[in-house]
Amino acid sequence: MPSSVYKLAGILVLGAMAPLLDSTIVSIAIHTLGHDLDASTTAVQWVSTAYLLALAAVVPVSGWAVERYGARRVWLGSLSLFLTGSMLCGLAWNIGSLVVFRIVQGVGGGIMLPVLQTLVMRAADGRNLGRLMAVITLPALIGPILGPVLGGLIVGHLSWRWIFYVNLPLCLLALALARRGIPRDGPGPAHRLDTTGLLLLSPGLAALVYGLSEDGTVRATAIPLGALLVALFTAHALRSPAPLVDLRLFQDRAFAVSSTLMFLGGLALYGGMFLLPLYYQQARGESVVAAGLLLAPQGLGSLLARVTGPLTDRVGPRPVVLGGMLLSALGTLPFALPHPAPALLPAALAVRGLGMSAANLAVNVGAYQGLSPDRIPHGSTTVRIVQQLGGSFGTAVLAAVLARGGFPSAFRWSTAFTMLAALAALALPAHNT
């Protein structure tokens, strides 16, 4: 693998760190934002909800944008938009302006992540995907580790505005490096935007994500509406010669199974990210900063999982995904006990982090195996959509279980999701293609 590919991956990872850190930092500061901006709980929740909805709505456009304008130009534009949104959020004067500026951030962040994978996968040309995934999945691992700690420190010692200003130096450095380090690429053959698909899929995904983040009447209305719009898009995409997202990718077995695992893995990964900080704060009475520090062993396990990248290249995704999911389930089980021994929890978190990270890395490799360069933008878009829906669904389900059955019950459900993903992993192709 040429060193230029790893250099490119490093530049892109630096840029992706900003939106992935941002979401976890902001979640810690929600209470402070409500107090300082004199906003109700319902209003301040839109600081997170608006960002997620913008993210969901814009992801489907990323594949078309890369084909129409070129990946380098789209990356620079989306990173600049996220930088602008961060600066405006820090300057917000009330809750309404902050919500609007969070939408700007969400649009930039939503385009960035699929484009990152498109750029790297094209540069790799199908070689050493495991090693590359060990690099480009780092932001998704580091964000949940550093975000709560950094957010707690900022909220405890500085103005809330710094939870957004902290993005500025990172984005500026990433922009400077990207302008010099990302090779120029021109637009591909002219593709008209699939307007019908856009009008169906973007609001459909936004409605699903919104419905899964709410409850009561809102959920009962938004989820069926979102499901209907996505179903209509599916029918349209299968007939269209140039759909917004090419669902024919699911004819490839490795991609179809990997996408299923993306969804199931999202249930376990993002559901666990939702449960674990709450567990330490509510069940064990820890502060926000202490809870973030106590979750550090999970981050250590995730970093150790980087060594499974070369292993995936040698033996294929299936054994790594299967082993990773089983380790993740094993590491989650102690939290399902009514009164687990405190000394057991750090080791359990390290095992969980190792397993979940190894599985996520290998699933990403499986998704891109065998995809030709011209199909990679659509593959990146689809992967991001499936991950986001899985995460939203898992968080919604575990929040409902937590409200009714407490933490042991919620962690049992999380373990069950992980075991279901392990079973699905058996359908992956046995060897690299």
Side-chain angles (χ1 to χ4, degrees):
M1 177 71 69
S3 61
S4 60
V5 177
Y6 290 106
K7 179 183 176 182
L8 173 65
I11 291 171
L12 296 172
V13 162
L14 181 66
M17 196 74 72
L20 290 169
L21 267 175
D22 180 84
S23 57
T24 52
I25 291 175
V26 172
S27 65
I28 292 293
I30 288 295
H31 175 75
T32 301
L33 288 172
H35 178 270
D36 290 2
L37 294 174
D38 193 24
S40 66
T41 302
T42 301
V44 80
Q45 285 298 328
W46 275 95
V47 173
S48 293
T49 301
Y51 180 84
L52 289 174
L53 294 184
L55 206 73
V58 79
V59 166
V61 185
S62 60
W64 170 82
V66 166
E67 293 176 335
R68 177 66 179 82
Y69 298 106
R72 181 181 187 271
R73 186 180 298 178
V74 174
W75 174 261
L76 292 172
S78 58
L79 183 54
S80 299
L81 191 60
F82 186 85
L83 169 65
T84 302
S86 298
M87 182 175 64
L88 291 172
C89 284
L91 297 171
W93 55 91
N94 59 25
I95 194 65
S97 62
L98 181 56
V99 168
V100 171
F101 298 147
R102 284 286 281 168
I103 292 173
V104 176
Q105 266 194 316
V107 171
I111 295 176
M112 283 173 65
L113 299 178
V115 176
L116 179 154
Q117 291 192 311
T118 295
L119 278 163
V120 174
M121 290 302 106
R122 280 180 169 177
D125 195 25
R127 295 167 297 178
N128 296 328
L129 296 187
R131 290 176 173 84
L132 274 176
M133 282 298 173
V135 176
I136 66 173
T137 56
L138 271 176
L141 300 171
I142 294 175
I145 300 165
L146 294 183
V149 178
L150 188 57
L153 292 173
I154 290 173
V155 171
H157 298 91
L158 298 170
S159 163
W160 62 264
R161 298 181 187 277
W162 283 96
I163 66 176
F164 301 108
Y165 289 151
V166 74
N167 294 323
L168 303 188
L170 194 58
C171 289
L172 287 170
L173 177 59
L175 271 173
L177 292 174
R179 288 184 184 280
R180 299 182 60 181
I182 298 179
R184 295 184 180 276
D185 63 330
H191 286 287
R192 293 185 61 185
L193 178 63
D194 177 14
T195 308
T196 301
L198 179 63
L199 293 175
L200 291 172
L201 186 57
S202 288
L205 291 175
L208 283 174
V209 170
Y210 181 49
L212 289 167
S213 67
E214 298 292 325
D215 53 21
T217 305
V218 172
R219 176 175 292 182
T221 304
I223 290 180
L225 175 61
L228 174 62
L229 291 173
V230 171
L232 290 173
F233 170 78
T234 301
H236 161 77
L238 293 176
R239 295 194 307 267
S240 173
L244 185 68
V245 177
D246 189 2
L247 299 184
R248 298 177 186 88
L249 289 171
F250 288 96
Q251 294 173 351
D252 181 274
R253 175 184 165 190
F255 186 86
V257 176
S258 295
S259 296
T260 302
L261 286 165
M262 292 280 185
F263 184 84
L264 294 173
L267 296 178
L269 175 62
Y270 291 98
M273 286 166 52
F274 162 74
L275 283 177
L276 285 165
L278 287 178
Y279 173 79
Y280 276 106
Q281 292 176 61
Q282 295 180 9
R284 306 193 77 86
E286 304 290 350
S287 68
V288 172
V289 175
L293 293 172
L294 286 167
L295 291 173
Q298 182 172 234
L300 177 61
S302 297
L303 292 175
L304 290 174
R306 304 298 87 192
V307 301
T308 63
L311 178 64
T312 303
D313 289 330
R314 288 199 302 271
V315 303
R318 185 167 77 177
V320 179
V321 175
L322 183 59
M325 288 298 181
L326 292 175
L327 281 175
S328 180
L330 181 65
T332 307
L333 272 177
F335 293 90
L337 301 174
H339 302 289
L344 177 63
L345 299 185
L349 281 173
V351 171
R352 187 182 192 278
L354 171 63
M356 188 58 68
S357 179
N360 182 57
L361 186 156
V363 166
N364 273 280
V365 172
Y368 287 96
Q369 280 185 340
L371 289 188
S372 59
D374 61 303
R375 303 179 82 191
I376 286 175
H378 285 281
S380 299
T381 300
T382 306
V383 162
R384 184 61 192 163
I385 289 171
V386 171
Q387 283 178 322
Q388 186 167 1
L389 288 178
S392 298
F393 185 76
T395 301
V397 170
L398 293 179
V401 174
L402 178 62
R404 291 171 174 79
F407 284 104
S409 181
F411 280 113
R412 283 195 291 271
W413 274 73
S414 181
T415 304
F417 287 150
T418 309
M419 293 303 297
L420 186 60
L423 289 175
L426 295 174
L428 281 169
H431 304 288
N432 281 322
T433 55

